[in-house]
Amino acid sequence: MATLSAPLLRSHHRHLPVRSSPRRCPSAAFPRGFAPLEPLSSRGPSRTAVRSASTSAAAPEAAEATGGAVPSETAAEEEVVEARVVLPTNESSENLLRIRHTCAHVMAMAVQKLFPNSKVTIGPWIDNGFYYDFDMEPLTDKDLKKIKKEMDRIIRRNLPLVREEVSREEAQKRIQALNEPYKLEILERIKEEPITIYHIGEEWWDLCAGPHVESTGKIQRKAVELESVAGAYWRGDENNQMLQRIYGTAWESEDQLKAYIHFKEEAKRRDHRRLGQDLDLFSIQEDAGGGLVFWHPKGAIIRHILEDSWKQTHLQRGYDLLYTPHVAKADLWKISGHIDFYKENMYNQMDVEDEPYQLRPMNCPYHILVYKRKLQSYRDLPIRVAELGTVYRYELSGALHGLFRVRGFTQDDAHIFCLEDQIKDEIRGVLDLTEEILGQFGFRNFEVNLSTRPEKSVGSDDIWEKATIALKDALDDKGWGYTVDEGGGAFYGPKIDLKIEDALGRKWQCSTVQVDFNLPERFDITYIDSHTEKKRPIMIHRAILGSLERFFGILIENYAGDFPLWLAPTQARILPVTNNELQYCNEVASELKSRGIRAEVCHGERLPKLIRNAETQKVPLMAVVGPKEVEARTLTIRSRHNGELGTMPVDDFISKIQSAVADKSSL
C-alpha cells in the first residue's frame, strides 16, 4: 500500500519554529559561496624556534618539549588545504534544490518502510539540506544508519518521480485510507486547486507542489548524509505532539559533501560554547537558571573593553549616555503596546504594593520618558541617546543556545529623535558609526537589506515615502549596495538590516536601523516648532552590535578564541625558567599592569609546560625570563603569531604593545 509524507510547500514549511531541544545552531548555516577548503585564518602562524642567546636555560627547556621549536597550536590548527570547492546554494542552483527536495521524500519513504507505524508530517529543503518530522518513537544513531541504507536502495532503483493532479475530495479520501491525521490538517490549509501529488515509482506518494529531480537515480548516494535527530513540536506549539525531526544534508557531488563536512568540523572547533569553557570566558550556571550568562573574569575584561570603546565612540559622535531601570509599571508596557503584541516574550508580572510591575523586554519606552522629561524645541533636535541596557525575554528551554539565544542580554541600544528633514543625515551618521565600530573587529563585508512598507502599517503615505527615500539616499550616499525587501518593513516604519560576515563566511544579523512612526504617537511626544506649534518628532531605533552576549559569541567563533592583542584578556604572560627569576617576573608584571597592559606571571611548571599552557590559552605574547634576562633587565619575547621577537628592555616591550594596541594590530 502506498504511504504518505508531507507536502513540501514553502508557505507551510520554510519557517516552522523548533521549540524544543536541541535547537539548530545559527552558526551551522552554511555561507553562500563559501569555499571551506581554503585556509580559514588570515593570520598565518609562525613556527620560529625560540633561540635565546641571552638565556642559557630558555632554549634547552623549550627544545626539550618541541624538538627545537616552541609548540604552536595555531600552526597545527591552520594547515593549508590546497583543494578548493565553492559550494552552491539553493538560490544559485535549482538542481541542488530539487535534489534536496527529493531527498526529503526519499527519506520519508525509507522511514515508513522501516517503521510502518510512523506518521509523516512536513519536510522541507533548508539551507544545508533537508529535514522531515515524524510522529514515532525516539530514533537512535543506529536507526539513522538503517534509514540511510534504505535511502541508498531507493536511489539505486532509479525510481521515477511522477506528478499527479487530483481533486480535494480524492486527496482527502486517499489520506484517510492511509490514516495520516497530520496530512488531513495540511490538506485543509492548502487553498489552491487542484491538489498536486508526487509519486516515487508506484510505492509511495506525497502531497507536494514540487519541484523534484526526474528520478531517484539523479541523486548521488555518496553526496547525501543523515546528520542528526532532534525533537520538534508539531507546528512549533509546545502544547502539540513532540515529533522526531531527522536532519540530512545533500549536495550535487561527493566533493561538495566533503567540503561541507570540513566546514562543519571547523565550525565545531570554533564553537563558542566549547571555547567559552576551555578559555574560562563565561558559563551558564544551571543552578541559577538556563539562558542566564555568567561572565568570568577573562570574559568580563573583554566585555569591559567592548563597553568602554562603545561608550567613547558614541560620546564622540554626539550621543548622550543613559542608564535606566530594569523594571517598570505594567502600564508603561500597555502604552507601548508590548503587552498587546509581545506578551508571549515577556515574563510574568510581579506585584509591588498591589501594583503590577514588569521586567523590561526592550529599552525604547525608557528613552521616550527621558525625552518627555522636559519641553523640547526644534532647535534641540536631533537628540541622540544611547544605553547598554539589559533586557529580559522569555524563551523556552529548548530554544536556548549558548550566548546566541539567552533570557537576559544587554542591547547596545540607541534612539534618535529628529525632524523629518534630518532623517537622511541621521541615518547616514548611523551607517558611518556602524562601519567604524564593526571595522574595529575586522568585519568589513556587509549584506544590507532595506525593508519597505508592509500592507498593515501606521503613519501617512507621505511620511512613509519620505522616510523610505531618506533611507535609500543615505545608503546611496554611503555607497553600499543593498537589496530591497518590498513590504518587509515593520508596521511602524521602514528599516535597514545589516549582516556581517565572519572568518568562515557565515552571515550574522547584528545591526539594524528602524524608523518609528508608532511609539511617538502612543506616547504623545512632541517638540515646539519655529511657529511655536507642537509637532511630532521622528524616532529612529538603532543597534550596532545587537547584544553584547550574542556579539561576544560571534567574536569567539570568528577569532576561534584567538583574540587580537588589543582585545585579548591576557596580553602578555611572563614565564620564569626557574623560581630564581620569579621576583623579577613579578616586578615586570607590576610595571606592565601600571602601564595599562594586561599581564600575568605563570610558574611552578617546567618551561615547556608553561609555553604549552600559554599556547593552549591563546595568549598573544610570552616573555621568557632566565638568569641573563634578570641580569640585563630584559625579556625574551615570543609572539603567538609572529614567532620570536628577540630580547629587549622592558620599556621597549611596553612601547611596542601600546603602539600595537593603539593601531589594533598584532605584535
Side-chain angles (χ1 to χ4, degrees), residues 5-8 95 97-109 123 125 132 151 153-165 196-220:
S5 82
L8 295 175
N95 181 53
L97 184 148
R98 289 174 179 267
I99 287 171
R100 288 172 171 172
H101 194 169
T102 305
C103 280
H105 282 223
V106 170
M107 180 173 71
M109 178 177 175
W125 68 84
Y132 214 109
M151 289 177 67
R153 281 192 284 269
I154 295 170
I155 292 170
R156 279 196 299 267
R157 292 173 64 192
N158 196 24
L159 298 172
L161 278 93
V162 180
R163 185 176 184 270
E164 179 188 8
E165 294 183 356
T196 58
I197 287 175
Y198 270 85
H199 297 263
I200 299 180
E202 298 180 355
E203 304 172 28
W204 191 89
W205 57 270
D206 189 1
L207 290 174
C208 185
H212 287 283
V213 296
E214 297 173 359
S215 67
T216 60
K218 298 293 184 181
I219 300 170
Q220 298 291 323

Side-chain angles (χ1 to χ4, degrees), residues 35-135:
L37 294 187
E38 289 187 300
L40 294 170
S41 172
S42 59
R43 293 197 296 259
S46 170
R47 298 186 172 102
T48 307
V50 170
R51 355 173 196 12
S52 177
S54 63
T55 254
S56 58
E61 290 279 0
E64 179 184 331
T66 64
V70 170
S72 174
E73 180 195 19
T74 313
E77 290 169 350
E78 297 178 2
E79 288 295 328
V80 174
V81 181
E82 294 297 332
R84 174 184 172 90
V85 177
V86 177
L87 292 174
T89 66
N90 294 331
E91 291 76 18
S92 68
S93 172
E94 184 178 345
N95 181 53
L96 179 62
L97 184 148
R98 289 174 179 267
I99 287 171
R100 288 172 171 172
H101 194 169
T102 305
C103 280
H105 282 223
V106 170
M107 180 173 71
M109 178 177 175
V111 168
Q112 292 205 306
K113 279 182 172 291
L114 295 171
F115 304 93
N117 293 327
S118 61
K119 303 296 181 184
V120 288
T121 62
I122 60 173
W125 68 84
I126 54 178
D127 286 343
N128 301 331
F130 57 94
Y131 72 77
Y132 214 109
D133 289 347
F134 302 91
D135 188 352

